[in-house]
Amino acid sequence: MDDNFSRSFRLEQLLQQQRKKHRLHEPILFQECVAALGEGVIVYSEDKTTEMYEWFEELFDFTSSGRMIWDRLFHSHITLPQLQERCSSIEEEVYVLWSHDPNPLIRCRLATILEHIEDVLAVSGDTWLWKPDHVLIEFSRDEDIRIHMTS
């Protein structure tokens, strides 16, 4: 039993080391996004990222392809220029969540994100900007943009 425990313990240590290496070598598009957003961006830990994604997935329904199901939310379809005009002065911070790859959760001012939206959207096919109980914006891989605002 001790031998099995030792192997299990060692395996867990190796897995943790690999996870740390992975974080140090984040995908280049993610690194470019964070650099473009500048000093105000907060990059969350793996644990916080997992916690927030689980909460997000509990609150909202998704199709098998990863698109959000909007049936239960009042929302509007919007173009990028309309979104930028409507929200570019919003100083509040929002979370950025991506549908693909294990990118960390980030938080940044909505206005800053909209200034650098190309860098943000380059990271993944589907992207969500979310401030709980306030705003949810989905950018889908087919260039559809939907917005839900509660206030």
Side-chain angles (χ1 to χ4, degrees), residues 37-147:
L37 294 173
E39 291 181 21
V41 68
I42 298 169
V43 180
Y44 286 93
S45 69
E46 184 178 343
D47 289 341
K48 183 66 173 180
T49 296
T50 300
E51 175 187 325
M52 292 302 290
Y53 271 90
E54 287 173 356
W55 185 30
F56 188 70
E57 290 171 0
E58 283 176 20
L59 291 174
F60 305 106
D61 296 321
F62 296 87
T63 66
S64 60
S65 64
R67 293 282 309 268
M68 185 168 283
I69 299 172
W70 287 87
D71 295 346
R72 295 185 303 141
L73 295 172
F74 177 76
H75 66 280
S76 304
H77 289 268
I78 195 167
T79 65
L80 185 55
Q82 291 170 330
L83 178 65
Q84 288 170 321
E85 182 180 320
R86 182 173 172 183
C87 298
S88 64
S89 63
I90 296 177
E91 294 297 317
E92 295 182 56
E93 293 184 342
V94 296
Y95 296 107
V96 179
L97 300 98
W98 290 282
S99 62
H100 301 89
D101 299 322
N103 296 304
L105 176 77
I106 66 171
R107 190 177 80 200
C108 189
R109 286 180 39 250
L110 181 56
T112 302
I113 292 168
L114 293 176
E115 286 174 30
H116 303 282
I117 195 66
E118 294 83 14
D119 293 297
V120 174
L121 297 180
V123 174
S124 181
D126 295 315
T127 304
W128 296 277
L129 308 181
W130 178 47
K131 179 170 183 176
D133 300 320
H134 183 67
V135 66
L136 172 64
I137 303 167
E138 178 185 56
F139 296 86
S140 67
R141 60 181 96 55
D142 59 2
E143 299 183 11
D144 185 30
I145 303 171
R146 296 180 191 215
I147 184 171

